[in-house]
């Protein structure tokens, strides 16, 4: 037994301290900080702060930094520009030690802002993980302006050799991501069981996602349901619309999902496995984009950390007769810093802990979206209704609650109101939040600003035949808006 434990420990140490190339770490630095730049757009980060502060809820893990989280557009904009400038400098490798640290701290504070309203999304957690790991690493030793400047005038100096200090951050990134995937896969097996895999689970999930995504327009008339308009090919390949798969493809997608999520961390243990994991991940996230409306573009942009770019480049150059295929000699004496090891260990342990506890409403580590429920064709959708001055009754489904400025953010807020932990939010406070949210939609949605008798309801829908043939089963009123709850009411 002791021999087995010693062998496992040695294998683990060898894995994390495997030599790698400074070029591979430099490529990873470029793509990760470009992903930060891509993510730091104004609408996503500023718009939530225009909502009433009563709707704000700090995610688990950020209470100790609550005072640093900006809550107004005037507070968010300077931080956005700080992160943009620092991320661009980090991608270029300018003052890399400083720019990576500034970006990592900025991402931690900036990208939590949208997650304080409604539910905690999980599209940017990985940016906190990866920027923190890179900030503590020697990611500027290659493919950076800093490296070029250091070699300026000293052309005889050899490029940095392969060393554990370049391999450790890449392995740590793979493992923390693998732990996140693995926990979601385990919960699918535990909670969903055979029905999750063998039933029409993903087909029903796609129908529900399509019903939300494709039905954003206000609905006027006696019915709450109308068929969605036809989709163009461009719309089908974005995460804003959903294509509903046939049952056989849904089952195949379920099998692929489990194999990918449970197998990623094991594939990451070898060079060939990491390449296979990168290809499988690209397929997985694009599958969820098309058939569930869930896109992870920024995560896919970071995926080069799984690929031996330096090795493939050397192989290609040797085939073209422009250089040797062998890598630079390994130094082997440059170990990862204690700070890097501590940050990586904290992220791995934190992700594992929150994943094991199924805690998803947390930042910067949490359990990733589990989707572990075996879905049925019955779906509960939210609707805000009102009566126009001419007596016409109008209904706005949850896909269109925010109108053009807020988009899906309002939908997430309404869905987030259903989340309640006993003892955390008292019933009277919860009702107040419902009223504030409903009143805000009443005051700002272009189809409801002139309406009266605005109320919030939950409707049960049968999607057995797909979102285009949804059948209304019933409607339940949850809360009625009061003019007194709508400050600035016109």
């Amino acid at each position: 037994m002791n021999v087995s434990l010693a062998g496992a420990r040695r294998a683990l140490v060898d894995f994390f301290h495997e030599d790698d190339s400074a070029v591979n770490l430099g490529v990873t630095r470029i793509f990760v900080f470009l992903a930060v730049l891509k993510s730091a757009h104004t609408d996503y980060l500023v718009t939530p702060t225009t909502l009433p502060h009563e709707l704000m809820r700090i995610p688990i893990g950020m209470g100790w930094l609550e005072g640093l989280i900006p809550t107004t557009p005037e507070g968010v904009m300077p931080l956005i520009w700080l992160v943009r400038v620092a991320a661009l400098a980090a991608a270029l490798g300018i003052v890399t030690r400083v720019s990576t640290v500034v970006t990592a701290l900025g991402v931690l504070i900036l990208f939590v802002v949208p997650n304080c309203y409604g539910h905690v999304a999980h599209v940017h957690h990985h940016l906190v993980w990866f920027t923190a790991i890179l900030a503590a690493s020697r990611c500027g030793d290659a493919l950076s302006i800093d490296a070029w400047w250091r070699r300026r005038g000293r052309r005889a100096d050899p490029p940095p050799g392969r060393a554990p200090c370049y391999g450790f951050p890449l392995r740590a990134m793979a493992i923390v991501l693998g732990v996140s995937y693995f926990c979601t896969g385990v919960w699918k097996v535990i909670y969903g069981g055979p029905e999750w895999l063998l039933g029409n689970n993903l087909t029903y999930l796609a129908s529900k996602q399509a019903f939300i995504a494709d039905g954003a327009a206000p609905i006027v008339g006696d019915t709450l349901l109308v068929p969605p308009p036809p989709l163009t090919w461009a719309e089908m390949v974005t995460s804003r619309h959903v294509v509903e798969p046939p049952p056989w493809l849904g089952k195949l997608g379920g099998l692929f999902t489990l194999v990918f999520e449970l197998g990623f961390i094991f594939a990451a243990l070898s060079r060939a496995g990491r390449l296979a994991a990168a290809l499988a991940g690209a397929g997985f996230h694009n599958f969820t984009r098309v058939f569930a409306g869930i896109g992870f573009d920024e995560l896919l942009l970071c995926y080069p950390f799984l690929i031996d770019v330096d090795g493939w480049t050397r192989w290609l150059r040797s085939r073209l007769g422009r250089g040797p295929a062998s890598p630079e000699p390994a130094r082997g004496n440059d170990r990862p810093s204690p700070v890097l090891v501590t940050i990586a260990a904290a992220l791995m342990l934190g992700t594992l802990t929150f994943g094991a506890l199924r805690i998803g409403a947390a930042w910067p580590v949490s359990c990733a979206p589990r989707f572990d429920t075996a879905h049925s064709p019955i779906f509960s959708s939210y609707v805000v209704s009102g009566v126009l001055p001419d007596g016409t009754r109008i209904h706005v489904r949850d896909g269109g609650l925010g109108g053009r400025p807020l988009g899906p953010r309002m939908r997430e807020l309404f869905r987030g109101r259903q989340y309640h932990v006993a003892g955390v939010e008292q019933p009277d406070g919860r009702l107040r939040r419902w009223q504030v949210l409903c009143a805000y939609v009443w005051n700002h949605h272009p189809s409801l600003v002139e309406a009266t008798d605005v109320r919030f309801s939950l409707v049960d829908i049968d999607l057995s035949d797909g979102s285009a043939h949804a059948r209304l089963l019933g409607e339940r009123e949850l809360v009625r808006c009061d003019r007194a709850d709508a400050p600035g009411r016109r």
Side-chain angles (χ1 to χ4, degrees), residues 18-29:
E18 179 184 357
D19 291 338
D20 211 318
S21 165
V23 171
N24 286 339
L25 189 58
V27 168
T28 297
R29 185 199 75 245

Side-chain angles (χ1 to χ4, degrees), residues 178-188 261 351-352 355-356 367 370:
V179 169
S180 179
Y181 283 136
F182 186 80
C183 290
T184 62
V186 168
W187 287 120
K188 288 181 178 67
E261 291 182 342
T351 303
L352 178 61
C367 184
R370 302 178 308 274

